[in-house]
Amino acid sequence: MNRTQRRALALGAVVGALAWTTERAARWSGLGTVRRGRSAQPGISLLLRGGPDPQVTSALLSHLQAAGVTATFLFEEGAARAHPALVEQAVQGGHTVLPLVGGPGHSPWALARGLRAAQPAFAALTGTPPTLFAPGPGVGGVVAALAGRWGGLTPVAARHRSAWGTQPRGLRPGALLELEGTAPVAVPHLPLLLADLQARGYEIRGLGELRGLRPEALRDLPATALQLVDVLYDRVGGIRRIGGHASSLFRVGAAPYPLADVTVPHPGRPGGLTLRRGEPLTEFHLDSARLVELAERPLAGRRIVTHSIRDLAATVRDDPDCRERPAVFSISIFADVLALYGFTVVDLPPAHRRRLTWWSRTLRRAYGVSDPHKAHVPRLAVMAREELIRRHATHWGHPVAEE
């Protein structure tokens, strides 16, 4: 290999690495892309990709109508032109209809031309000019963002994709869940999915009805980065989400008790349970992003905290690892709220408190809280496992005895 070839190879490697890094950054940040709603409401949106298909789409529309919910259909232009009655049926049912444009290998320019061609077609079919579009499979985030800017539409990118017959994981209120909309297996599984999501407290809405829906902007980057930090922290620390409901706020893991010895109430010990410094306990963490969203609805927030504490009680009752730990604790600025549920609140040492107060302010700035300088003092809230179960382990509002 001569010198010119080596330079060409090095240049190609640099360009490839730059392209890969740019695409990864675009997918992580989502700038200019609609990918979630932001609201205290527990709404999520189902995105059904492909079609319309005469057999599958018609059956899906019937199931959605029977469940009393709306969804978002991502239709291909050719199929939509071939089956205009199905498009009209979806629109009349209150569903959101968006063009699905592009595929692997499309350049931003080609995709932008496709968008400009699709707009009048979908405006005629739905009666409303589209403002959003769904990039087809294999279209990169950078290509979609550039094409959307040049083509006059905003791309939609679901952060959750699932196969029919499997339970979606990691859903939060505001999520966009994408599924294949032309597979025959969708017909028997859609009613099961709708029933499961509704049983978990989610409100299923089309994108047109999902509150707080807007493209990701520069001001969202700090919150996006903090959520990535949470994901990495959870992976390293073996921390997992619990509950699986729209109202679930907590993640749990094991951690040593960090403060001086403390005695807390225990239903089986008149003198209480003494917890020693360094003793392994169950630590629970709060979903900061969700709590910020709930600030606009304090009554709903109180109800959701109540449900989440019940999730926590059921977890420490049923999880084999948690059964071995005598108590649960959390360090946060919401310790005083937890005191209303029977937790013992303990002040932190000054150095620890100053460090966590700074971190709390950082979180509040990142999530756009209007009063980041207001004093929010972090404290530790702790409760014996058996006391938590006695107070809060319930099923449909009725106490459940520990096994």
Side-chain angles (χ1 to χ4, degrees):
M1 183 181 297
N2 59 36
R3 186 174 182 180
T4 302
Q5 290 174 323
R6 288 197 298 271
R7 286 182 175 178
L9 183 61
L11 178 61
V14 170
V15 172
L18 181 61
W20 181 86
T21 302
T22 302
E23 177 62 24
R24 296 292 294 181
R27 289 186 178 275
W28 169 76
S29 68
L31 290 176
T33 301
V34 169
R35 60 182 187 179
R36 60 186 172 118
R38 297 168 175 83
S39 172
Q41 300 285 350
I44 63 171
S45 188
L46 298 184
L47 277 56
L48 302 171
R49 183 185 68 251
D53 178 274
Q55 282 74 42
V56 177
T57 304
S58 181
L60 297 183
L61 286 167
S62 297
H63 288 319
L64 292 166
Q65 182 180 15
V69 301
T70 57
T72 299
F73 287 89
L74 312 178
F75 285 156
E76 299 155 345
E77 181 183 352
R81 287 180 181 274
H83 304 287
L86 285 174
V87 179
E88 182 181 3
Q89 185 181 352
V91 173
Q92 292 299 318
H95 306 288
T96 302
V97 174
L98 301 180
L100 177 67
V101 183
H106 272 69
S107 68
W109 305 276
L111 186 57
R113 287 196 299 270
L115 291 178
R116 287 192 290 269
Q119 289 180 57
F122 274 81
L125 288 166
T126 66
T128 305
T131 59
L132 306 173
F133 82 98
V139 175
V142 174
V143 170
L146 291 174
R149 179 176 291 274
W150 297 336
L153 298 181
T154 301
V156 173
R159 301 179 73 176
H160 300 272
R161 290 180 172 85
S162 183
W164 292 107
T166 62
Q167 188 180 66
R169 301 178 65 85
L171 287 181
R172 291 182 65 251
L176 311 187
L177 173 61
E178 185 177 312
L179 301 114
E180 174 60 53
T182 57
V185 71
V187 176
H189 281 103
L190 179 60
L192 302 176
L193 175 64
L194 297 177
D196 174 66
L197 292 173
Q198 289 177 320
R200 290 197 275 154
Y202 290 104
E203 298 174 1
I204 305 166
R205 305 169 180 267
L207 285 180
E209 300 175 327
L210 192 63
R211 296 188 182 184
L213 192 74
R214 61 170 175 80
E216 299 290 313
L218 287 173
R219 68 179 184 272
D220 300 314
L221 290 181
T224 301
L226 286 174
Q227 289 168 15
L228 177 61
V229 170
D230 279 346
V231 170
L232 297 176
Y233 180 78
D234 289 355
R235 287 179 181 175
V236 172
I239 299 166
R240 59 187 177 85
R241 290 188 176 274
I242 60 170
H245 303 281
S247 58
S248 299
L249 291 175
F250 297 154
R251 296 132 48 215
V252 301
Y257 184 68
L259 303 183
D261 298 356
V262 65
T263 300
V264 297
H266 188 287
R269 302 184 183 185
L273 172 69
T274 298
L275 303 172
R276 308 294 183 186
R277 184 184 183 94
E279 184 175 3
L281 304 181
T282 296
E283 183 179 16
F284 64 101
H285 307 262
L286 286 73
D287 186 333
S288 300
R290 184 67 176 141
L291 286 169
V292 169
E293 292 166 353
L294 291 170
E296 67 183 75
R297 298 178 65 206
L299 292 179
R302 176 67 184 270
R303 183 173 64 252
I304 288 174
V305 170
T306 299
H307 291 170
S308 297
I309 289 177
R310 291 175 181 173
D311 288 340
L312 178 64
T315 298
V316 301
R317 181 193 66 205
D318 300 332
D319 186 273
D321 292 333
C322 294
R323 287 178 178 177
E324 302 301 319
R325 305 175 199 133
V328 300
F329 77 96
S330 178
I331 300 175
S332 77
I333 62 173
F334 300 100
D336 290 341
V337 175
L338 296 175
L340 301 175
Y341 294 87
F343 282 80
T344 298
V345 175
V346 183
D347 288 332
L348 301 174
H352 199 165
R353 184 172 63 248
R354 285 193 297 271
R355 184 171 67 254
L356 291 179
T357 298
W358 172 84
W359 179 242
S360 171
R361 288 175 178 170
T362 300
L363 288 174
R364 294 172 69 78
R365 289 191 183 97
Y367 288 113
V369 177
S370 59
D371 60 342
H373 298 291
K374 183 178 178 180
H376 294 275
V377 180
R379 294 183 174 89
L380 183 143
V382 61
M383 185 184 293
R385 172 181 173 271
E386 285 78 5
E387 180 70 3
L388 179 64
I389 293 170
R390 184 187 71 83
R391 283 174 172 263
H392 300 294
T394 64
H395 181 68
W396 299 112
H398 300 288
V400 178
E402 183 181 2
E403 297 177 358

